Amino acid sequence: DDQLRFEVRPPVHDGFSERRRRRQVETGGRRAVFMDVPNVATAYIRVSSRAEDHATQRSAIERAALARGDTIREWYAEKKSAKTMARAELQRLRDDARMGTLKTLYVFKLDRLVRSGVADTFAVIAELRKAGVTLIAVADNLTIVPDKEDVTSEVLVFALGLAARLERAAINDRIAAAR
């Protein structure tokens, strides 16, 4: 009877964040110790060229997740241009979101997720919101919560989506000029 019994319980609404789960450790019925169990999250990182690496994005996301009490469980990573939405890891992420396996998604910047225009940006975000996924764009200081309509966030998403599309056009112009 000297063994510890671990029990994971659903969130307790006692002033702690609803997202925070708690684990109660009981020792022979004499006392109980509560320990925080980190929330699990997912992250998507993307670089455009093979010469780049994911280290900067990964580090920033890990720091932001730690500050929010989250632990990154799975990383979706790819080295591919965002000029198209046809990217294997992005598609896998979207499929997983539709299946309900994602709850919190970290990206370094919104343009790492979508850079093909405002319509595609809004479509992906709407899809994530519908699936109940909270999207956190670390460098953009943007958090999109699925069940909360926020006009300010929508305006910011529009501006970031437009800026990403303009940057994509500038990249294309530089590439064409170099030929």
Side-chain angles (χ1 to χ4, degrees):
D1 287 325
D2 291 338
Q3 294 180 340
L4 293 177
R5 186 178 61 152
F6 294 91
E7 185 177 329
V8 177
R9 295 187 176 184
V12 177
H13 303 287
D14 60 356
F16 285 90
S17 166
E18 286 186 82
R19 296 176 58 239
R20 182 175 291 176
R21 292 177 294 158
R22 299 177 48 87
R23 178 173 56 192
Q24 181 177 11
V25 180
E26 296 180 12
T27 57
R30 292 186 303 264
R31 64 187 171 98
V33 178
F34 292 92
M35 299 167 47
D36 290 334
V37 177
N39 297 310
V40 292
T42 306
Y44 175 84
I45 51 180
R46 181 192 62 77
V47 293
S48 299
S49 70
R50 298 196 191 287
E52 297 175 284
D53 69 12
H54 299 109
T56 302
Q57 293 177 40
R58 187 179 189 104
S59 175
I61 289 171
E62 286 172 339
R63 283 192 313 274
L66 181 64
R68 292 176 57 99
D70 291 337
T71 300
I72 304 298
R73 166 190 57 139
E74 184 170 2
W75 292 86
Y76 298 84
E78 53 193 352
K79 290 189 176 193
K80 191 162 184 158
S81 171
K83 64 183 172 187
T84 177
M85 293 287 289
R87 301 190 312 267
E89 287 296 282
L90 177 61
Q91 190 57 50
R92 188 170 73 90
L93 180 144
R94 294 170 78 186
D95 291 343
D96 288 349
R98 279 191 292 273
M99 291 187 327
T101 59
L102 306 181
K103 288 299 167 211
T104 304
L105 173 66
Y106 283 85
V107 295
F108 179 63
K109 292 179 71 175
L110 195 57
D111 73 357
R112 299 291 87 198
L113 190 61
V114 182
R115 187 176 249 180
S116 52
V118 175
D120 286 342
T121 303
F122 272 107
V124 169
I125 289 174
E127 190 175 311
L128 292 171
R129 289 179 88 176
K130 183 178 178 183
V133 177
T134 297
L135 175 64
I136 301 165
V138 174
D140 295 328
N141 197 25
L142 175 68
T143 300
I144 299 173
V145 181
D147 56 352
K148 181 181 174 193
E149 291 293 325
D150 181 7
V151 175
T152 305
S153 291
E154 287 187 26
V155 169
L156 188 54
V157 166
F158 177 82
L160 292 170
L162 183 58
R165 178 65 186 106
L166 292 172
E167 177 61 19
R168 178 78 243 149
I171 289 169
N172 289 342
D173 290 346
R174 287 192 300 269
I175 291 171
R179 291 183 187 168

